[in-house]
Amino acid sequence: MAEKGVFPLGGLPLGAEGTIAAVRAEGELRRRLTELGYFPGERVKKVLVSPLGDPSAYLVRGTVTAIRRQDAESILIREAGEWD
Amino acid sequence: MGLTSASAGRGAALSDRSAGGRSLPVVALAGNPNVGKSTVFNALTGLRQHTGNWTGKTVALASGRCRARELELVDLPGCYSLDPASREEAVARDFLACGQAAAVIAVVDCCCLERSLALALQILALAPRAVICCNLSDEAEKRGLRIDFALLSSRLGVPVVPCAARSGRGLDALLSALDAALADETAAPKAEYRSFLPGEGGGEASVACLAECTRLLDGVISRPVHCRSSLTERIDRIAAGKYTALPLMLALLLGVFYLTIIGANYPSQLLSKGFTALEGLIRALFERLNVAPWLTGALLDGMFRTVGWVVSVMLPPMAIFFPLFTLLEDLGYLPRAAFCTDRCFRCAGSCGKQALTVCMGFGCNSAGVVGCRIIPGEKERLAAIVTNSFVPCNGRFPLIIALSSIFLASSAAAAAGLTAAFVLLAVFVTLLVTFILSKTLLRGEKSDFLMELPPYRPPKLGQLIIRSVLDRTLHVLARAVAVAAPAGLVIYAAANIHVGNGSLLSAFCAFLDPFARFFGLDGAILAAFILGFPANEIVLPIAILAYTSGRSLAELGSYSELWNVLSANGWTWVTALSVILFSLFHWPCSTTCLTIRKEAGTKWMLLSMLLPTAVGFILLAALNGTIRLVG
C-alpha cells in the first residue's frame, strides 16, 4: 500500500490539513475512531502537539481529539492540496 | 472531580421512585460528552448537579423533577454512539434500550452538528418519542454559523429546538415541543435509522450514520465548520504550547496552593477564636446547670473541641480550594493537563485519562475511584483505582499545609511551594506504582487513548461559587463533622477510661510507640492514623486530643497553639515531614475503601490498602534511617 502521497496521520505537520485515505486500525480502536468521524474522505487537521511530543490533537467534524502517535500510525492520509 | 451527592446518591433515589409512590413520566437526556447536556438538565430541574467540562463527567444516573412540568428527568452519561466501549456508555444504551423513558431529549452541539447529530439518529431508531435540543446556539451565532433548524426538523420528522441552556434561552420552546411529543400516542421509533445502530461490525454503521448526517445537514448549515473557536485556539497556544504548557501547569498548581494558604490563614484564626469563645460560654452554662464533670468533659473537651478543630482548620482552605479547582474544571483546563502529561502516563503503561482521575482524587479519592469508569481498558482502570489514593485528597491537604507552614516553611510562598512539591512527589509515586503494576499484576494488552479536548467555555462565576461551596465544600465538611463528633467522643472516653495505671488511649499509644518510633512517628500519631480511618480530616485532631487529654487549650486550631502542643511532645521537622509523608502514603479512608470494593472487588480493595501503606513505611524507614546515619 505504498501509494504515492499517502502517509500516516502522525506525519502531518502542526496546522496542516489532510484527507483521510484509509484507517487500518482494528477492533475497538477502529470503532471509536469511526464514531468520531475518522474514515476515508473526511478532512483532518493537526491542531495541537503535546509539549512532551506525544500525543497530538486533531480536528475532525468540528471536534478536537487527542490521539497517541502509536494509534495515529494506523490512519493514512493525503495532504489536502494533492487530492482535489 | 464529581464530588457531589449527585454522582452517588441520586441513582438510588431513581430506583426508589420507580418502585413505589406516584410515578411521573420519565424523560431521558442523552447526548455526546461536552454538548452541555448537564447544563440543560440543571436548567430544567434547578438541581445543582455538578457539570464539569470534560469527557465522561456523569458516571452515574442523576435524576430530578422538572421545574415547569410533571416530569422526571434522567441525565444519561455522555456517549458518542450506542455501541458501548466503556462502562458508562453501556449505562446510557441500556437505559434507552429498556424503554423506561417516555421520551428522550437528544442534546446536540450546534458548533459540531456533523458529529453530534449521529447519536441523535441512533436515539431516533430506539426511542418512540424524541425532541432534538440544539444546544450552544449562542456560541454558534458568535462564530457566525447560520443553521436552518426548521429544514433539519422537516428532514428528520421530529422537533428540532435551538437552545442556549447557559442563559436559559429556548428552554420554553423545548418543553412545548416535549409536551407535543409526549401527547403523540402513535409515535414509533424510526425504522429507517435502525441500520445506524452499531452491531458487531468494525464501525460500518458509524460510517453510514455519519454519512447520513452529512447528507441531512447539506443546506442546513451555512458553511461546514473546520476550525476551532478563535478563543480556544488562542488559549491553547499557551495552555498547550510547547514551551508554555508545563510552566503554566506548575504555576497554576503553586498559585492554587498559595491562594489557599494565604486566604485560609485569617478565617481559620477567626473561626478558632469563635469556637474557643463558644466553648467558654457553653462551659459556663454547663457549670450553672450543674452538669456532671464527666459529661462536660465528654461533650466539650471530646466532641465539641474535635468538631471545632475540624471546622476551623478545614473549612477555610476548602472554601478557597474547591472554587479555584472548579474554575479550572469548568474552563476545560483539565483535559489539557491530561493532554500535556499523557506521555508520562504512557511511559507508566497507563491510559492518559488517568490524569483526569488523579485530578478528581485531589478533591476526593472516593470520587476519583468512581471516575476511573472513564478508562476503557479493564487493566488500566484497575491500576488507576488502586493508585488513586496516592494523591492527597482534600481531607489531607489541611494537615499537609498546616505542618508545612509550622515546621518546614518560613513563609506562605514557601509553604505553597512545599505543598506543590509534595503533590508532585505523590504524582510521581502514582506513576511509579502504576508502572510496576502494569509490568506485574496488571500486565497485558494496552487499550487505546482517545480523548476529546472540548472548547474552553467561560464559566458562570456566581453559579460556580454557589455550586462549589454548597455541593462540594459543605458536603465534604458535613461528612467530616459527622465522623469527627462521635470520634471525638470515643477518643475522649478512651483517654479517660483507666486501665491499670494509664488510660485506654495511652495504653494503645504506648503499645504502638516502639514500632512507630522506628518510622519517625510516635504512638499517638500512629494511633491517630488508625483511629482516623473513617476520615483523614480527623487525624491531626485525634493526635492533639491524645497529647492534651484532660488539659485545656488556650486557642484550639491556631498554628501557634499547634506548634506549642506538638513541640512539647517532642516533634521536630523530621517528625512533621514523616507525618506528612505518612499522610500521603497510607491506607485510604473507609469511604474510599468501600467505593473500591464496589468498583473492583475485595481483592483490589485490600491491595489498595496494602500498597500505599507499604510505600509509606518504606519511605519513612529510608528517611529516618538516613537521618539517623547522618545525624
Side-chain angles (χ1 to χ4, degrees):
Chain A
M1 284 266 287
E3 199 181 323
K4 206 182 165 214
V6 170
F7 55 93
L9 181 58
L12 200 65
L14 180 62
E17 282 190 36
T19 304
I20 296 174
V23 178
R24 292 219 187 118
E26 298 288 334
E28 197 56 45
L29 177 61
R30 182 189 185 89
R31 214 150 57 192
R32 290 174 72 77
L33 282 170
T34 310
E35 279 171 18
L36 291 165
Y38 288 80
F39 52 78
E42 289 291 316
R43 281 171 77 196
V44 54
K45 180 179 180 184
K46 190 181 219 166
V47 291
L48 287 173
V49 177
S50 167
L52 299 177
D54 187 38
S56 296
Y58 303 91
L59 177 73
V60 167
R61 285 198 172 235
T63 305
V64 177
T65 311
I67 306 179
R68 285 178 177 171
R69 186 181 299 141
Q70 181 193 338
D71 296 331
E73 285 301 302
S74 65
I75 303 164
L76 297 180
I77 60 156
R78 276 184 197 93
E79 255 183 280
E82 294 172 40
W83 191 61
D84 49 29
Chain B
M1 198 148 66
L3 191 63
T4 62
S5 47
S7 49
R10 292 192 191 124
L14 176 69
S15 51
D16 286 352
R17 241 165 277 174
S18 51
R22 204 162 55 97
S23 66
L24 298 170
V26 174
V27 172
L29 268 144
N32 291 165
N34 301 309
V35 296
K37 201 167 48 65
S38 296
T39 319
V40 175
F41 178 80
N42 286 349
L44 290 176
T45 59
L47 265 183
R48 285 178 302 270
Q49 198 234 354
H50 184 74
T51 54
N53 192 359
W54 76 42
T55 300
K57 183 70 211 318
T58 320
V59 283
L61 294 186
S63 78
R65 279 276 289 277
C66 182
R67 277 199 292 202
R69 298 288 190 282
E70 289 286 295
L71 294 173
E72 175 89 15
L73 286 168
V74 177
D75 189 18
L76 298 179
C79 53
Y80 290 106
S81 82
L82 294 178
D83 180 6
S86 69
R87 290 179 166 210
E88 50 172 6
E89 298 192 1
V91 174
R93 182 205 52 181
D94 293 347
F95 192 87
L96 288 172
C98 75
Q100 264 179 283
V104 181
I105 300 175
V107 186
V108 299
D109 178 354
C110 283
C111 298
C112 62
L113 277 174
E114 315 96 299
R115 189 210 68 212
S116 59
L117 195 61
L119 179 67
L121 297 188
Q122 294 175 17
I123 290 169
L124 294 180
L126 277 182
R129 283 173 285 268
V131 176
I132 295 180
C133 166
C134 290
N135 195 24
L136 301 166
S137 62
D138 48 350
E139 228 173 270
E141 268 167 36
K142 250 185 245 162
R143 292 173 66 175
L145 274 175
R146 280 190 310 280
I147 301 165
D148 190 340
F149 297 102
L151 179 60
L152 183 60
S153 176
S154 72
R155 281 183 186 171
L156 287 169
V158 294
V160 175
V161 186
C163 272
R166 270 168 50 88
S167 58
R169 203 176 72 187
L171 291 174
D172 288 334
L174 180 67
L175 284 172
S176 309
L178 193 61
D179 287 339
L182 282 167
D184 184 357
E185 297 287 336
T186 60
K190 296 203 179 307
E192 64 268 37
Y193 293 151
R194 277 212 81 85
S195 61
F196 298 149
L197 283 173
E200 290 304 301
E204 279 73 19
S206 294
V207 176
C209 188
L210 285 166
E212 175 69 9
C213 291
T214 309
R215 203 187 61 77
L216 284 166
L217 290 170
D218 183 41
V220 166
I221 312 180
S222 56
R223 60 181 167 83
V225 197
H226 202 65
C227 61
R228 301 191 297 151
S229 86
S230 61
L231 176 74
T232 297
E233 205 153 297
R234 265 179 305 182
I235 299 178
D236 267 345
R237 218 168 281 160
I238 296 165
K242 194 171 180 181
Y243 302 107
T244 46
L246 298 177
L248 177 75
M249 200 183 297
L250 205 61
L252 282 172
L253 194 65
L254 276 169
V256 166
F257 290 127
Y258 183 71
L259 288 175
T260 305
I261 291 170
I262 286 275
N265 196 6
Y266 183 68
S268 269
Q269 283 179 12
L270 214 63
L271 276 171
S272 84
K273 279 203 180 82
F275 274 106
T276 313
L278 192 60
E279 191 189 317
L281 284 177
I282 300 175
R283 197 178 296 278
L285 182 73
F286 277 16
E287 270 166 20
R288 188 173 289 180
L289 294 175
N290 282 327
V291 176
W294 66 267
L295 189 61
T296 309
L299 290 179
L300 278 181
D301 297 330
M303 205 158 88
F304 185 85
R305 190 167 287 175
T306 313
V307 169
W309 215 96
V310 167
V311 172
S312 51
V313 171
M314 278 190 62
L315 179 61
M318 276 195 326
I320 299 170
F321 180 85
F322 272 141
L324 286 176
F325 195 87
T326 313
L327 178 70
L328 289 181
E329 190 183 350
D330 282 11
L331 276 172
Y333 179 71
L334 298 188
R336 269 71 181 184
F339 177 70
C340 295
T341 54
D342 175 65
R343 192 162 191 167
C344 307
F345 285 89
R346 195 193 67 191
C347 292
S350 82
C351 175
K353 286 183 184 168
Q354 194 179 342
L356 295 179
T357 65
V358 164
C359 288
M360 291 163 93
F362 286 134
C364 168
N365 292 130
S366 172
V369 166
V370 177
C372 289
R373 292 185 194 172
I374 63 174
I375 296 172
E378 182 63 13
K379 284 177 177 166
E380 285 129 315
R381 189 181 73 92
L382 285 172
I385 287 178
V386 170
T387 54
N388 194 273
S389 65
F390 279 104
V391 293
C393 65
N394 214 70
R396 290 183 269 170
F397 274 124
L399 179 146
I400 297 169
I401 290 173
L403 295 185
S404 298
S405 306
I406 298 171
F407 284 95
L408 303 172
S410 52
S411 69
L418 261 174
T419 309
F422 286 125
V423 167
L424 291 180
L425 173 72
V427 172
F428 174 74
V429 173
T430 301
L431 289 169
L432 189 69
V433 174
T434 307
F435 176 75
I436 295 169
L437 282 174
S438 77
K439 291 282 175 228
T440 53
L441 273 178
L442 295 168
R443 200 172 41 229
E445 193 76 0
K446 290 288 160 274
S447 63
D448 52 87
F449 166 64
L450 297 175
M451 185 183 64
E452 190 183 336
L453 298 177
Y456 289 101
R457 299 206 171 110
K460 286 175 112 178
L461 284 179
Q463 257 190 23
L464 182 147
I465 289 168
I466 293 171
R467 256 195 359 250
S468 54
V469 170
L470 288 183
D471 281 1
R472 295 186 159 174
T473 310
L474 292 186
H475 177 72
V476 173
L477 190 72
R479 197 191 74 137
V481 168
V483 173
L489 209 58
V490 169
I491 307 298
Y492 183 82
N496 286 282
I497 294 171
H498 289 266
V499 283
N501 48 7
S503 72
L504 211 57
L505 185 63
S506 61
F508 185 49
C509 294
F511 168 74
L512 293 172
D513 205 60
F515 177 73
R517 293 267 172 208
F518 179 75
F519 295 102
L521 308 171
D522 67 29
I525 304 167
L526 193 54
F529 272 109
I530 293 170
L531 297 169
F533 180 54
N536 282 300
E537 295 87 346
I538 62 172
V539 167
L540 209 47
I542 293 178
I544 303 288
L545 208 60
Y547 287 141
T548 62
S549 58
R551 284 185 294 116
S552 62
L553 292 169
E555 195 179 280
L556 71 171
S558 81
Y559 281 179
S560 56
E561 185 64 31
L562 198 56
W563 189 84
N564 288 340
V565 173
L566 296 178
S567 55
N569 283 278
W571 278 49
T572 62
W573 67 271
V574 183
T575 325
L577 185 59
S578 303
V579 172
I580 290 174
L581 287 176
F582 198 64
S583 161
L584 285 176
F585 308 116
H586 72 289
W587 50 88
C589 73
S590 57
T591 312
T592 306
C593 287
L594 289 175
T595 310
I596 296 173
R597 200 177 70 178
K598 214 172 96 196
E599 294 291 314
T602 309
K603 190 176 91 178
W604 297 103
M605 180 191 78
L606 292 176
L607 187 68
S608 314
M609 296 171 77
L610 188 74
L611 270 178
T613 312
V615 169
F617 279 130
I618 291 169
L619 269 179
L620 290 193
L623 172 77
N624 287 282
T626 315
I627 286 171
R628 264 177 230 128
L629 275 180
V630 175

